Amino acid sequence: MAFYDHYNYQRYWQGRKYEHKAEKIALEKLLKNIPDKNRKTILDIGAGFGRITPIYANQFASCYLIEPSEKLISQAKKNLKKYQNLTFQKRRAEELSSLKKADVAIMIRVAHHIKKLDPVFKKINHSLKRNGYLILEFANKVNFKTKLKMWFGGNFSFCQDQVPCDRRSLANINKKTIFFLNHHPQKINQELEQSGFKIITKLSVSNFRWPLLKKIIPTEILIWGEKILQPVLAKINFGPSIFILAQKTN
Ligand SMILES: C[S@@+](CC[C@H](N)C(=O)[O-])C[C@H]1O[C@@H](n2cnc3c(N)ncnc32)[C@H](O)[C@@H]1O
């Protein structure tokens, strides 16, 4: 059984309108860089219940939704009934096959469940056609809020350490539950390059995911800030979530 078979992921998104909109802005911006999408195929790795599918589905000729959880696949089928260009496959990123190559792959909010990303990046590379694109989201280990916490705690080597930060409780580590890892942006860059990708652009997302800010500032204003600041803040890896557009080089 997959982890998400016994977790209410649709409920997780209740009350997270700001984060969803921030991700929508980022994804739409990155997709604009990809030409001729109406003739292309997209592979959504870890598609979940199809939360982000409506953002891209109408732009592509066909969409392959890869998802290990049976429960989320059936929710996605229900949620996405109106789209005729979707194919669902129950599998993990580690099991991608290169038989049917796609033009674009996206992997949003999945990298934090994967400890060794380089073999997965290589699999994705093999699943893409020549000059294909990857849109990757990962949880950022060295986001501004965490950096502040570390510095105030006297930990000044935190930013140099490229080992992913495990966010699970000790009890869950002992129970060997699914990983919740924040990755280091430099390590991600290196691994993408070693796996045959060049990075085209990067965005810093959900930059204002601070409970107090979300409480006192209307979502529309936070979203306006996201629109303007995602590219700028990416330069200093500010936000908790980083979106990368990369292109296959070999
Ligand atoms: C946090 S959810 C994100 C779902 C969707 N991408 C979204 O942004 O709404 C993580 C998803 O990744 C899937 N997943 C977990 N481990 C995976 C793996 N090794 N390969 C592919 N998908 C995985 C889970 O089943 C779940 O649907």
Side-chain angles (χ1 to χ4, degrees):
M1 234 189 172
F3 172 82
Y4 282 82
D5 284 331
H6 46 82
Y7 177 70
N8 192 339
Y9 190 50
Q10 297 208 95
R11 192 164 61 202
Y12 169 87
W13 279 100
Q14 288 169 12
R16 288 189 162 86
K17 202 167 149 194
Y18 158 66
E19 287 82 354
H20 177 70
K21 283 193 171 178
E23 292 186 8
K24 186 169 185 274
I25 290 168
L27 194 52
E28 283 171 346
K29 193 172 242 159
L30 296 181
L31 285 169
K32 276 195 187 131
N33 291 277
I34 303 174
D36 306 321
K37 290 187 283 294
N38 58 345
R39 287 191 270 120
K40 290 188 164 150
T41 54
I42 185 168
L43 198 62
D44 184 351
I45 303 160
F49 61 84
R51 177 181 66 95
I52 54 170
T53 308
I55 302 170
Y56 62 75
N58 281 333
Q59 301 185 37
F60 285 86
S62 41
C63 315
Y64 292 87
L65 278 67
I66 309 290
E67 169 54 49
S69 157
E70 193 84 56
K71 175 179 156 187
L72 291 188
I73 290 180
S74 72
Q75 289 176 351
K77 283 183 178 166
K78 208 168 141 200
N79 295 339
L80 303 166
K81 253 192 239 137
K82 69 172 183 179
Y83 299 98
Q84 304 300 310
N85 58 344
L86 312 182
T87 306
F88 295 87
Q89 287 180 356
K90 183 175 177 290
R91 64 176 70 176
R92 298 163 69 230
E94 293 83 343
E95 300 152 353
L96 280 179
S97 91
S98 56
L99 287 177
K100 255 196 182 160
K101 297 208 179 213
D103 299 283
V104 179
I106 63 171
M107 196 164 87
I108 314 290
R109 288 181 173 255
V110 178
H112 65 255
H113 292 319
I114 301 176
K115 190 164 187 189
K116 277 198 73 61
L117 280 168
D118 48 340
V120 170
F121 292 160
K122 288 189 178 107
K123 284 254 174 195
I124 296 174
N125 182 294
H126 290 140
S127 310
L128 285 172
K129 293 181 192 163
R130 202 164 160 259
N131 298 326
Y133 293 89
L134 166 65
I135 295 177
L136 171 76
E137 182 279 344
F138 65 92
N140 173 20
K141 174 181 177 180
V142 292
N143 66 74
F144 183 68
K145 205 161 102 182
T146 306
K147 263 200 276 201
L148 274 188
K149 235 190 253 169
M150 290 298 158
W151 287 338
F152 278 116
N155 183 349
F156 298 104
S157 60
F158 177 77
C159 291
Q160 276 72 53
D161 179 6
Q162 296 192 356
V163 174
C165 177
D166 197 335
R167 309 273 326 281
R168 293 173 299 170
S169 65
L170 202 59
N172 282 342
I173 293 175
N174 289 335
K175 276 196 265 169
K176 294 190 170 39
T177 60
I178 194 169
F179 285 114
F180 278 88
L181 302 166
N182 288 359
H183 292 279
H184 199 295
Q186 270 167 17
K187 186 88 195 297
I188 294 278
N189 289 357
Q190 282 163 17
E191 291 184 336
L192 281 173
E193 278 162 18
Q194 284 159 8
S195 309
F197 288 100
K198 70 169 178 212
I199 291 157
I200 297 175
T201 187
K202 195 166 99 169
L203 298 170
S204 169
V205 178
S206 296
N207 296 292
F208 313 115
R209 197 167 80 193
W210 302 44
L212 184 64
L213 283 184
K214 278 177 59 178
K215 214 171 175 176
I216 58 175
I217 301 179
T219 307
E220 291 68 33
I221 296 181
L222 296 181
I223 289 301
W224 175 78
E226 283 285 325
K227 271 189 191 144
I228 298 170
L229 293 172
Q230 284 184 350
V232 184
L233 294 178
K235 294 188 200 314
I236 53 165
N237 295 316
F238 182 90
S241 172
I242 302 286
F243 276 60
I244 285 180
L245 173 67
Q247 189 169 25
K248 175 171 163 143
T249 52
N250 56 53

